């Protein structure tokens, strides 16, 4: 499979680079086409691909590039299916896949695949699941997927009976055909990324459900019992259904009297958890559910969780300065994430909102702002943040750039406050990626004298 083929790889980024590199070593003819400028790419990666015989076309998408001679188009997950090259491929009956689907078809048969998806919490759940399994099983366990490690990049390092823990995004799911994990988990479904799905929340959820619908009766699906969207969408799947719940007893993992149980067996007390918020408690229960499928002992689970301090850029504790705690939640690029962040604190909050204008409705934050003492509005949508602050009668200060708003924060913050970067907005109005916004925030915090 995937040998001696002619393949168009659409889009560079991590997945395009890795799939081109891997498939070029299997006697395939690879053409990589990216609409961006070659000068913006890593020159070492460009040289490596050229040395492997990959033909590179940057800066445009030639209308005459695709024809019947191609066997596959492998596209970057961030490219929508209405892209002209995808449409051309479909008209020529050329299969359109992505790196994850290709890698899945090349996986050894005796490897166990864990796939974790959902709207919020999937990176934390994936990271914690990996940590628990890796702490117990060692180098048999591999981390992959949307978390930054393309699945295809670890194929050569896999050995018999290894375990892969993989974060799966909605964009990756779009081009799934056969992909299915042996154990699949959904954290929750709520409106996000629906601009990628023509404004349809239902289409977004259906896409997320693909890997569950591909499962068979030997596979396991772990579902958030408290998320009605997930429960409804996955009620008719063929796999064995298990659950986790922070509100009631269920078949699986649940919370009762500040203790977490798995099938009526006490696993751990919540007092050892270091990361704040009910959402993180649910992420932890999801990770425990997966660990129990591998019979990881409670003592090992407890040790890993007690040492887990969270994922960078996701409600990440940065520092305490002058009695004020600073949290970096730059990955909160939608309203739901910011609701979760606000619900995690009882202290007075100075929150930083704003970024790319996407028509996000800040009014949906109203039930969560009782502890907010001030709002700093930044970025493209800062005027709407100001209007929101005025409407809810909270002191609001707006600035184009984060660094300017931060100066105001240092003037108004008081001992006992929480300063929270949780923008409810994407960062692309000013930053290439939201992690850069988060790092700038952390630098500003660490420079406070």
């Amino acid at each position: 499979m995937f040998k001696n083929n002619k393949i168009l790889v659409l889009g560079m980024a991590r997945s395009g680079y890795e799939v081109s590199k891997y498939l070029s070593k299997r006697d395939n003819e690879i053409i990589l086409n990216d609409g961006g400028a070659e000068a913006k790419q890593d020159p070492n990666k460009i040289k490596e691909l050229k040395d492997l015989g990959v033909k590179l076309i940057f800066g445009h998408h030639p209308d005459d590039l695709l024809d019947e001679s191609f066997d596959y188009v492998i596209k970057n997950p961030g490219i929508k299916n209405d892209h002209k090259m995808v449409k051309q491929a479909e008209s020529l009956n050329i299969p359109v896949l992505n790196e994850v689907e290709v890698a899945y078809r090349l996986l050894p048969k005796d490897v166990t695949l864990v796939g974790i998806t959902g709207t919020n919490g999937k990176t934390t759940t994936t990271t914690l699941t990996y940590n628990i399994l890796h702490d117990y099983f060692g180098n048999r366990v591999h981390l992959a997927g949307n978390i930054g490690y393309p699945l295809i990049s670890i194929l050569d390092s896999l050995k018999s009976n290894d375990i892969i823990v993989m974060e799966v995004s909605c964009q990756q799911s779009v081009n799934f055909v056969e992909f299915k994990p042996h154990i699949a988990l959904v954290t929750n479904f709520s409106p996000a990324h629906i601009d990628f799905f023509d404004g349809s929340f239902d289409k977004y959820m259906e896409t997320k459900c693909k890997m569950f619908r591909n499962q068979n009766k030997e596979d396991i699906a772990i579902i958030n019992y408290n998320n009605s969207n997930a429960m409804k969408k996955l009620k008719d799947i063929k796999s064995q259904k298990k659950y986790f719940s922070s509100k009631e007893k269920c078949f699986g993992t649940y919370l009762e009297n500040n203790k977490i149980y798995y099938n009526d067996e006490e696993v751990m007390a919540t007092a050892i958890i270091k990361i704040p918020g009910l959402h993180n408690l649910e992420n932890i229960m999801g990770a425990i559910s997966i660990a129990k499928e591998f019979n990881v002992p409670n003592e090992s689970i407890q040790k890993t969780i007690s040492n887990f301090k969270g994922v960078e850029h996701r409600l990440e504790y940065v520092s305490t300065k002058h009695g004020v705690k600073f949290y970096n939640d730059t990955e909160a690029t939608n309203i739901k994430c910011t609701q979760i962040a606000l619900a995690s604190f009882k202290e007075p909050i100075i929150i930083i909102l704003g970024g790319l204008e996407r028509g996000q409705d800040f009014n949906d934050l109203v039930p969560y702002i009782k502890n907010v003492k001030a709002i700093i509005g930044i970025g493209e949508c800062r005027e709407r943040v100001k209007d929101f602050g005025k409407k809810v009668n909270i002191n609001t200060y707006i600035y184009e750039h984060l660094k300017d708003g931060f100066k105001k924060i240092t003037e108004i913050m008081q001992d006992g406050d929480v300063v929270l970067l949780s923008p409810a907005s994407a960062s692309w109005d000013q930053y290439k990626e939201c992690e850069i916004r988060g790092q700038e925030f952390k630098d500003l915090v660490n420079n406070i004298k």
Side-chain angles (χ1 to χ4, degrees):
M1 185 178 292
F2 300 112
K3 286 187 175 181
N4 301 304
N5 293 137
K6 185 176 181 182
I7 299 171
L8 173 65
V9 176
L10 187 60
M12 177 86 165
R14 289 190 187 106
S15 66
Y17 160 72
E18 291 289 353
V19 78
S20 297
K21 184 171 68 169
Y22 190 89
L23 293 182
S24 67
K25 298 175 183 177
R26 294 171 66 89
D27 299 319
N28 293 294
E29 179 185 352
I30 307 293
I31 297 95
L32 189 154
N33 178 213
D34 189 294
E38 181 174 343
K40 294 184 177 180
Q41 303 294 337
D42 183 335
N44 295 321
K45 291 181 178 180
I46 294 293
K47 183 180 185 304
E48 183 182 14
L49 293 179
K50 286 181 177 178
D51 290 346
L52 288 170
V54 177
K55 182 181 178 181
L56 303 173
I57 302 172
F58 287 97
H60 69 299
H61 301 291
D63 290 333
D64 59 352
L65 177 56
L66 267 180
D67 57 35
E68 293 88 347
S69 67
F70 283 85
D71 297 288
Y72 297 99
V73 170
I74 302 172
K75 77 171 186 66
N76 185 282
I79 296 172
K80 294 179 69 172
N81 273 352
D82 61 2
H83 191 282
K84 74 169 187 175
M85 302 299 283
V86 177
K87 291 294 187 183
Q88 284 183 27
E90 291 172 347
S91 69
L92 293 167
N93 293 316
I94 301 170
V96 179
L97 309 175
N98 61 23
E99 165 265 325
V100 177
E101 180 71 24
V102 172
Y104 173 78
R105 298 185 187 187
L106 296 171
L107 281 178
K109 298 300 181 187
D110 56 356
V111 167
T112 301
L113 179 62
V114 177
I116 297 167
T117 195
T119 303
N120 298 306
K122 57 185 179 293
T123 298
T124 299
T125 306
T126 302
T127 303
L128 185 51
T129 299
Y130 168 77
N131 288 355
I132 293 171
L133 297 181
H134 188 268
D135 286 351
Y136 187 69
F137 293 109
N139 291 333
R140 281 180 54 198
V141 185
H142 306 264
L143 185 63
N146 190 56
I147 204 163
Y149 307 96
L151 181 59
I152 206 161
S153 70
I154 68 170
L155 288 185
D156 289 338
S157 63
L158 294 173
K159 297 180 178 64
S160 180
N161 296 315
D162 278 2
I163 300 165
I164 302 168
V165 180
M166 180 176 176
E167 178 184 323
V168 182
S169 71
C170 57
Q171 290 91 344
Q172 288 171 327
S173 304
V174 166
N175 295 104
F176 284 172
V177 181
E178 299 175 8
F179 178 88
K180 73 172 183 70
H182 299 94
I183 302 171
L185 179 143
V186 57
T187 58
N188 48 67
F189 288 146
S190 61
H193 301 296
I194 59 174
D195 51 334
F196 196 84
F197 296 91
D198 305 318
S200 171
F201 179 41
D202 192 68
K203 187 176 179 181
Y204 162 79
M205 289 192 291
E206 278 299 323
T207 301
K208 286 272 197 182
C209 290
K210 278 186 178 183
M211 69 182 194
F212 293 90
R213 302 203 189 288
N214 286 343
Q215 288 185 302
N216 58 42
K217 61 183 181 180
E218 280 78 43
D219 299 318
I220 294 166
I222 300 171
I223 307 166
N224 185 339
Y225 197 75
N226 306 132
N227 186 256
S228 59
N229 290 323
M231 291 291 288
K232 185 184 298 184
K233 278 292 176 185
L234 297 173
K235 64 180 181 180
D236 296 325
I237 55 177
K238 299 172 184 174
S239 47
Q240 304 170 49
K241 288 185 284 187
K242 300 184 180 183
Y243 306 95
F244 62 97
S245 171
S246 61
K247 297 180 180 178
E248 57 199 292
K249 192 172 180 178
C250 65
F251 177 60
T253 306
Y254 60 91
L255 177 68
E256 192 171 80
N257 297 325
N258 296 318
K259 294 179 181 179
I260 296 174
Y261 293 82
Y262 178 76
N263 288 347
D264 299 332
E265 174 195 1
E266 182 183 330
V267 177
M268 53 170 276
T270 59
I272 69 171
I273 297 171
K274 289 189 170 64
I275 51 178
L278 179 63
H279 66 295
N280 276 322
L281 193 55
E282 292 182 344
N283 296 336
I284 287 167
M285 287 192 289
I288 289 173
S289 298
I290 295 171
K292 281 302 181 181
E293 294 300 326
F294 293 94
N295 297 312
V296 179
N298 294 338
E299 295 77 12
S300 184
I301 292 172
Q302 292 166 14
K303 182 179 179 182
T304 303
I305 291 174
S306 67
N307 290 321
F308 185 68
K309 297 179 181 178
V311 177
E312 187 178 20
H313 303 304
R314 290 166 173 83
L315 207 54
E316 172 196 9
Y317 169 71
V318 180
S319 184
T320 298
K321 296 291 181 78
H322 305 291
V324 178
K325 293 180 180 178
F326 292 82
Y327 286 85
N328 164 33
D329 194 33
T330 187
E331 289 276 2
T333 58
N334 60 62
I335 295 291
K336 181 64 176 178
C337 287
T338 301
Q339 291 174 340
I340 291 170
L342 287 168
S344 300
F345 300 101
K346 296 179 181 178
E347 301 91 337
I349 299 169
I350 301 172
I351 187 169
I352 303 168
L353 292 175
L356 182 71
E357 179 58 82
R358 291 171 115 177
Q360 58 272 51
D361 191 351
F362 295 107
N363 291 314
D364 289 340
L365 298 176
V366 170
Y368 301 85
I369 60 172
K370 66 178 184 296
N371 295 326
V372 174
K373 60 178 278 187
I375 299 170
I376 305 295
I378 63 170
E380 194 175 77
C381 63
R382 60 189 180 276
E383 290 290 346
R384 287 206 306 109
V385 173
K386 183 179 180 180
D387 292 341
F388 168 68
K390 184 177 180 180
K391 178 179 178 181
V392 295
N393 198 29
I394 294 175
N395 289 333
T396 302
Y397 312 90
I398 63 169
Y399 305 87
E400 183 178 0
H401 300 291
L402 174 60
K403 62 181 180 181
D404 298 319
F406 201 84
K407 292 177 184 177
K408 187 64 178 180
I409 289 172
T410 59
E411 292 173 10
I412 64 175
M413 68 186 193
Q414 296 176 311
D415 187 355
D417 287 350
V418 163
V419 174
L420 174 64
L421 171 66
S422 189
S425 309
S427 62
W428 302 319
D429 57 330
Q430 296 182 22
Y431 305 89
K432 184 179 179 181
E433 52 192 19
C434 69
E435 290 85 354
I436 297 174
R437 177 173 64 188
Q439 187 59 54
E440 180 181 338
F441 176 77
K442 293 199 291 182
D443 291 342
L444 289 165
V445 173
N446 291 326
N447 285 333
I448 295 176
K449 295 180 180 179

